[in-house]
């Protein structure tokens, strides 16, 4: 497109686009405002109509209740009932019947809004007296208004009466004598035409506003504005009626019973089983904004035409010097570097012409050497080909654009074949997804690594450790991939796995050996101890003190040996005989350990206190053993004061740190490297009993749970043992 029409178009768009945006925004805001106003009006109308409907029904109930309370009505109806019971044809009976109709029932046809007022016998529901003589003698014993009307005032919702051949809403109330006994049921049928008049009030405010009632069977109950004789004869299935029948109240835009787009407010009246609908045609509601839209369009067209004319005139002042620039550029393109484009204008076009002249001067003095570019490419190829392993550079479409000779040798593909391949072609179908995910990660995060088997042309598999690094050249995102052959490492890993399997089997054999050996060792130890004790008993009084001492040494040695063997078994079974980890309350497990040490605590008069302890994921029996060993040591290695032990725990981020602090004799720092070693004792057996395995067992248990154990002590002032458990 030429510059002149392009500038004209640009100016046209600059002028018209903001106006269109403002116009559309104004239109949409105004439309929403009108929609909200209309919706509020429809909702208010429904609220008002519902109130008027309830008031009309309540007024009818009150009229009927006042009529039922008239003493004269009760007396005259009682005489009519007595005459009916005696089968009397007394003219007075007929007179009472007529006076009840004329004096009491008929006036309510006008004042109470009823089509018919009638009295039913309480026993069988027979209509004894009615303002509609054709209804007298009919039995209504199964009608809800008769059944419920004997108990109190009851309104039966709109139904279709076969006898009256029209829709009716019936209200009934009991007639009682002075003693409160039921003597009759007084009923009245509301005039639904009056209900239609109530609903129609206010329709004249808008040309298309329509308010109507529909029952639970989708039939019109009142007449609509655009229909005739619809009541209980025509169904309505608009979205508003369907939503109301589901028990919802709301408002929406939909098609009414005529198929016309409307804005409608709908309410479900559960007590009356009726839908109350008020609608107005969308064309009327949005008419003001449509008129405003046409005004805005007219203004926009006028502004657009004016802008186009100004743009055309302005473009002519620019295109002439630009045409001279085009002609000059053509000469330069044909190799005429002596061509000068000299424009004397002081604007940007003049600056552009001077830049053209400078460019031709620079082109004459500066050239690009193709040989130099070739040397640069040879240098980069040499660097890439000297890289260890394989190297490839590929774009976001995963196409290889550069690679080294090692990749060709590894894959057994020629350079021509490589240029047509993508990364997916170098891997088996099973590993393509893993490699694709790693490449995607590298493009997003900048770097990623993966181990995969490179597939050669001869279908030979070579394990590689691949690293991809994102690089940006110009506006292109590329990925440089480097791969190292890890065949030897894989072989070493396989050997390591085999060694681990052999080690696990060896550990199981050692555990079995320890169990068998301890069992076989304990039997001769028990025999030595038993026979030595029998020897002492057999020769009681015949042995001197030295012989007794030797026997005591032998028995004590056997007992200590047996204890050492049992402790060794306990230590060896920490990892192999432990239970599966489960969630447990460490406070409850501490309580179990305290109960196990009850005798030692009572004997030493020890005081054990604790903070709130957390819930942990452990082998419960082994955590009890840790608490028990640490508490036992605190009681055993006590000072001159009574033992005081405090157990606490703190949140250390990803783990719980437990502490068991005492006021005992403390530990000399020089023994810090021996304290958790099996059978390492810092005191003689005469000073403190035991085998020196308790802390070693604690260390093994804590490490089995993925934690660690350490201590802090000041000699003579007590110790604090700490251990951590992962959360």
């Amino acid at each position: 497109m030429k510059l002149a029409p392009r500038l004209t178009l640009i100016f046209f768009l600059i002028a018209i686009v903001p106006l269109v945006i403002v116009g559309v925004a104004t239109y949409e805001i105004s439309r929403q405002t009108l929609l909200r106003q209309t919706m509020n009006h429809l909702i208010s109308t429904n609220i008002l109509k519902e109130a008027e409907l309830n008031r009309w029904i309540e007024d009818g109930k009150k009229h009927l209740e006042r009529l039922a309370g008239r003493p004269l009505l009760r007396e005259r109806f009682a005489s009519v009932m007595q005459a009916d019971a005696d089968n009397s044809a007394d003219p007075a009976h007929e007179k009472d019947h007529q006076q009840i109709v004329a004096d009491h029932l008929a006036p309510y046809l006008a004042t109470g809004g009823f089509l018919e007022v009638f009295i039913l016998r309480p026993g069988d529901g027979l209509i004894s007296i009615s303002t509609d003589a054709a209804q007298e003698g009919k039995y209504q014993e199964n009608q809800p208004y008769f059944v419920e009307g004997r108990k109190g005032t009851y309104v039966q919702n709109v139904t279709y009466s076969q006898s009256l051949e029209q829709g009716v809403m019936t209200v009934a109330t009991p007639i009682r004598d002075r003693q409160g006994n039921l003597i009759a049921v007084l009923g009245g049928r509301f005039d639904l035409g009056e209900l239609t008049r109530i609903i129609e009030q206010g329709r004249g405010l808008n040309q298309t506003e329509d308010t109507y009632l529909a029952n639970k069977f989708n039939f019109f109950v009142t007449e609509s504005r655009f229909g005739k004789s619809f009541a209980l004869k025509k169904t309505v299935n608009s979205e508003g009626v369907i939503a109301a029948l589901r028990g919802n109240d709301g408002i929406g835009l939909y098609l009414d019973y005529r198929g016309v787009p409307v804005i409608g407010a709908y309410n479900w009246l559960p007590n009356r089983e009726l839908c109350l609908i008020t609608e107005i045609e969308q064309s009327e509601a949005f008419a003001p904004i449509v008129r405003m839209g046409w005004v805005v369009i007219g203004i926009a067209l006028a502004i657009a035409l004016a802008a186009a004319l100004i743009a055309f005139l302005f473009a002519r002042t620019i295109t002439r010097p630009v045409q001279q620039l085009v002609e000059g550029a053509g000469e330069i393109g044909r190799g005429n570097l002596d061509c000068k484009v000299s424009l004397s204008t002081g604007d940007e076009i003049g600056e552009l012409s001077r830049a053209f002249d400078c460019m031709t001067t620079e082109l004459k003095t500066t050239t690009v050497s193709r040989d130099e570019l070739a040397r640069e490419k040879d240098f980069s190829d040499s660097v890439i080909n000297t890289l260890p392993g394989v190297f490839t550079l590929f774009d976001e479409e995963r196409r290889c654009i550069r690679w080294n000779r090692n990749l060709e040798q590894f894959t057994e593909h020629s350079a021509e074949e490589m240029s047509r391949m993508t990364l997916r072609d170098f891997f088996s179908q099973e590993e393509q997804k893993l490699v694709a995910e790693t490449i995607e990660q590298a493009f997003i995060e900048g770097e990623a690594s993966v181990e995969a088997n490179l597939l050669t042309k001869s279908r030979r598999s070579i394990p590689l450790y691949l690293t991809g690094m994102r690089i940006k050249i110009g506006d292109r995102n590329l990925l440089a991939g480097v791969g190292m052959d890890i065949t030897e490492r894989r072989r070493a890993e396989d050997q390591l796995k085999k060694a681990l399997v052999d080690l696990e089997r060896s550990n199981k054999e050692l555990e079995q050996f320890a169990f068998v050996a301890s069992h076989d060792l304990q039997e001769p130890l028990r025999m030595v101890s038993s026979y030595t004790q029998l020897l002492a008993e057999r020769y009681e009084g015949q042995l001197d003190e030295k012989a007794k001492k030797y026997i005591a040494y032998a028995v004590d040695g056997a007992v200590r040996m047996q204890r050492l063997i049992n402790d060794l078994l306990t230590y060896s079974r920490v990892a192999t005989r432990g239970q599966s980890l489960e969630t447990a309350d460490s406070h409850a497990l501490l309580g179990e350990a305290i109960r196990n040490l009850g005798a030692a605590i009572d004997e030493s008069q020890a005081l054990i206190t604790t903070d709130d302890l957390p819930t942990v994921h452990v082998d419960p029996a082994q955590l009890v053993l840790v608490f028990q060993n640490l508490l036992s040591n605190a009681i055993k290695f006590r000072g001159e004061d009574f033992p005081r032990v405090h157990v606490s725990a703190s949140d250390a981020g990803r783990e719980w740190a437990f502490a068991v602090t005492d006021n005992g004799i403390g530990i000399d720092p020089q023994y810090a490297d021996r304290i958790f070693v099996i059978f390492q004792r810092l005191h003689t057996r005469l000073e403190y009993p035991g085998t020196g395995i308790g802390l070693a067992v604690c260390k093994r248990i804590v490490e089995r749970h993925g934690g660690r154990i350490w201590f802090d002590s000041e000699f003579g002032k007590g110790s604090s043992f700490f251990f951590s458990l992962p959360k």
Side-chain angles (χ1 to χ4, degrees):
M1 182 184 292
K2 295 290 186 178
L3 184 59
R6 185 180 299 176
L7 288 174
T8 303
L9 178 61
I10 291 173
F11 271 82
F12 177 79
L13 293 176
I14 291 174
I16 198 65
V17 168
L19 186 62
V20 170
I21 293 174
V22 172
V24 170
T26 304
Y27 175 83
E28 186 60 28
I29 293 172
S30 302
R31 187 178 187 277
Q32 293 298 322
T33 302
L34 281 176
L35 180 61
R36 284 195 297 272
Q37 292 176 350
T38 303
M39 287 180 172
N40 292 335
H41 168 70
L42 297 178
I43 292 171
S44 300
T45 300
N46 273 9
I47 294 173
L48 178 63
K49 295 303 179 183
E50 182 179 358
E52 291 178 353
L53 171 63
N54 291 331
R55 177 193 54 75
W56 178 65
I57 294 174
E58 290 300 319
D59 288 347
K61 288 168 57 179
K62 290 177 182 178
H63 284 310
L64 210 64
E65 287 171 349
R66 283 197 296 269
L67 177 59
R70 289 183 177 180
L72 187 59
L73 174 65
R74 291 198 300 265
E75 293 172 2
R76 287 185 174 175
F77 184 72
S79 67
V80 171
M81 290 289 292
Q82 184 61 42
D84 287 344
D86 297 340
N87 292 321
S88 172
D90 187 354
H93 159 68
E94 183 61 30
K95 181 180 179 181
D96 287 339
H97 182 287
Q98 294 174 355
Q99 285 183 339
I100 288 174
V101 173
D103 298 342
H104 299 284
L105 304 187
Y108 278 86
L109 296 181
T111 60
F114 293 104
L115 285 173
E116 177 192 2
V117 182
F118 53 90
I119 301 176
L120 302 97
R121 289 197 315 214
D124 53 9
L126 178 72
I127 298 179
S128 299
I129 303 175
S130 174
T131 55
D132 184 356
Q135 302 302 317
E136 292 182 357
K138 295 182 179 180
Y139 289 92
Q140 307 294 319
E141 70 275 11
N142 295 323
Q143 293 295 332
Y145 62 80
F146 172 70
V147 175
E148 298 296 331
R150 293 185 297 180
K151 305 172 186 177
T153 303
Y154 173 77
V155 178
Q156 181 175 334
N157 292 328
V158 177
T159 59
Y160 185 80
S161 173
Q162 296 290 344
S163 59
L164 296 176
E165 295 184 350
Q166 63 179 348
V168 295
M169 176 185 285
T170 307
V171 60
T173 189
I175 301 176
R176 303 184 186 276
D177 59 17
R178 296 181 183 276
Q179 288 75 33
N181 298 318
L182 180 69
I183 60 175
V185 175
L186 178 63
R189 303 190 194 278
F190 282 117
D191 183 1
L192 295 187
E194 179 65 22
L195 179 58
T196 297
R197 286 189 292 275
I198 292 174
I199 298 300
E200 285 177 345
Q201 290 177 2
R203 282 180 179 173
L205 299 177
N206 295 289
Q207 294 180 357
T208 62
E209 185 175 335
D210 191 8
T211 302
Y212 57 87
L213 291 171
N215 64 13
K216 61 182 179 180
F217 301 108
N218 296 78
F219 280 93
F220 282 97
V221 173
T222 60
E223 298 295 340
S224 67
R225 183 170 195 162
F226 303 103
K228 185 177 182 181
S229 300
F230 278 9
L232 293 177
K233 294 181 180 178
K234 183 176 178 59
T235 59
V236 54
N237 293 285
S238 66
E239 290 183 15
V241 172
I242 293 172
L245 289 176
R246 292 173 179 164
N248 299 320
D249 295 342
I251 194 162
L253 283 72
Y254 53 86
L255 301 179
D256 68 357
Y257 57 90
R258 301 168 295 155
V260 176
V262 297
I263 305 172
Y266 50 85
N267 293 88
W268 172 245
L269 310 181
N271 293 337
R272 305 301 169 210
E273 295 182 320
L274 295 174
C275 304
L276 176 58
I277 310 294
T278 300
E279 299 166 337
I280 186 171
E281 291 183 8
Q282 295 181 24
S283 58
E284 180 180 1
F286 296 133
I289 194 62
V290 172
R291 290 192 295 272
M292 185 191 75
W294 284 111
V295 173
V296 171
I297 291 173
I299 295 173
L301 290 176
I303 293 175
L305 291 175
L309 180 60
I310 294 172
F312 177 76
L313 297 175
F314 179 72
R316 288 178 60 85
T317 63
I318 297 176
T319 55
R320 289 173 183 169
V322 170
Q323 183 62 35
Q324 295 178 13
L325 286 174
V326 171
E327 293 173 356
E331 286 293 320
I332 294 171
R334 286 188 290 271
N336 183 10
L337 299 181
D338 295 324
C339 177
K340 299 293 182 180
V341 182
S342 299
L343 294 175
S344 59
T345 60
D347 54 14
E348 288 80 357
I349 295 179
E351 293 178 0
L352 181 60
S353 71
R354 288 188 288 275
F356 263 82
D357 295 341
C358 291
M359 179 185 69
T360 57
T361 302
E362 292 295 328
L363 285 174
K364 291 176 68 175
T365 59
T366 304
T367 60
V368 178
S369 174
R370 294 183 179 179
D371 294 338
E372 185 66 24
L373 291 176
R375 285 195 296 271
E376 289 293 334
K377 184 179 183 303
D378 291 341
F379 174 76
S380 63
D381 287 342
S382 299
V383 172
I384 291 174
N385 288 326
T386 57
L387 291 175
V390 299
F391 170 84
T392 181
L393 185 69
F394 53 93
D395 57 19
E396 291 182 302
E397 283 73 36
R398 314 307 189 252
R399 293 190 303 267
C400 294
I401 56 178
R402 294 288 295 276
W403 58 86
N404 62 356
R405 292 195 188 96
N406 285 345
L407 184 59
E408 295 180 9
Q409 294 172 358
F410 268 74
T411 61
E412 303 170 0
H413 289 288
S414 65
E416 182 181 355
E417 291 172 335
M418 295 281 293
S419 63
R420 298 194 299 268
M421 298 174 69
T422 65
L423 278 183
R424 294 172 57 90
D425 301 325
F426 297 121
F427 299 95
S428 64
Q429 189 172 2
E430 294 77 12
E431 292 191 327
Q432 285 179 0
K433 181 179 180 182
L434 175 62
V435 173
E437 291 175 352
T438 305
I439 292 172
E440 187 68 24
Q441 180 184 355
F443 269 115
I444 295 173
E445 300 179 3
E447 184 175 352
S449 300
V450 67
E451 289 186 12
N453 293 315
L454 187 70
L455 208 60
T456 68
K457 188 175 182 179
S458 60
R459 312 308 293 175
R460 185 167 53 90
S461 180
I462 302 175
L464 295 179
Y465 179 78
L466 301 169
T467 300
M469 290 161 287
R470 183 187 63 211
I471 58 176
K472 192 174 185 66
I473 300 178
D475 59 349
R476 300 178 66 190
N477 282 323
L478 305 177
L479 203 65
V482 179
M484 301 300 296
D485 188 351
I486 57 172
T487 303
E488 292 300 323
R489 198 195 77 183
R490 286 274 182 93
R491 186 178 294 112
E493 288 176 352
D494 292 341
Q495 293 174 352
L496 179 60
K497 289 179 182 178
K498 183 177 180 301
L500 290 175
V501 171
D502 293 340
L503 179 60
E504 184 177 359
R505 183 178 66 254
S506 177
N507 285 338
K508 290 182 179 179
E509 291 172 352
L510 286 174
E511 180 191 355
Q512 184 65 24
F513 171 76
F515 175 76
V516 173
S518 64
H519 183 273
D520 293 343
L521 285 172
Q522 288 188 32
E523 183 59 32
L525 284 174
R526 283 194 294 269
M527 184 176 294
V528 170
S529 176
S530 299
Y531 278 101
T532 304
Q533 291 174 359
L534 287 173
L535 182 64
E537 293 175 1
R538 176 67 178 81
Y539 294 100
E540 179 70 29
Q542 302 178 31
L543 301 174
D544 57 13
E545 290 302 321
K546 184 176 289 187
K548 292 179 180 179
K549 185 183 295 184
Y550 291 160
I551 290 173
Y553 285 161
V555 172
D556 181 62
V559 171
R560 285 191 293 106
M561 186 65 177
Q562 191 171 13
R563 187 179 303 128
L564 284 171
I565 292 170
N566 288 333
D567 288 346
L568 181 60
L569 276 177
T570 300
Y571 181 80
S572 67
R573 290 174 175 173
V574 167
T576 58
R577 295 296 179 90
Q579 302 298 316
S580 59
L581 304 188
E582 61 184 63
T583 302
D585 183 357
S586 60
H587 200 286
L589 300 180
L590 173 63
E592 185 175 343
I594 293 174
R595 288 193 294 274
N596 294 341
L597 297 171
I601 293 172
D602 294 339
E603 179 184 350
S604 63
Q605 300 184 37
L607 176 62
I608 300 176
T609 59
T610 177
D611 293 342
D612 290 336
L613 300 182
T615 299
V616 290
H617 194 63
V618 294
D619 179 339
Q622 289 190 347
L623 185 56
V624 170
L625 186 56
V626 172
F627 282 134
Q628 189 169 317
N629 284 341
L630 294 178
L631 294 177
S632 176
N633 284 351
I635 296 171
K636 182 192 302 183
F637 299 104
R638 60 182 179 269
E640 297 179 356
D641 296 333
F642 295 120
R644 297 291 183 267
V645 187
H646 183 71
V647 182
S648 61
S650 61
D651 190 339
R654 300 180 66 179
E655 61 186 10
W656 294 107
F658 289 81
V660 180
T661 305
D662 62 49
N663 63 341
I665 62 175
I667 302 171
D668 194 329
Q670 64 176 318
Y671 301 121
D673 58 343
R674 296 173 52 191
I675 196 71
F676 295 109
V677 180
I678 186 171
F679 297 142
Q680 291 291 318
R681 297 173 49 83
L682 305 184
H683 305 276
T684 66
R685 288 186 297 277
L686 296 178
E687 292 176 307
Y688 297 99
T691 61
I693 199 173
L695 290 178
V697 171
C698 291
K699 181 174 184 293
R700 192 173 175 104
I701 290 174
V702 171
E703 289 178 347
R704 182 204 170 206
H705 287 75
R708 59 192 181 93
I709 187 168
W710 70 100
F711 77 96
D712 183 21
S713 178
E714 186 175 354
F715 188 65
K717 293 186 179 180
S719 305
S720 293
F721 280 86
F722 306 92
F723 64 92
S724 64
L725 294 175
K727 288 185 180 178

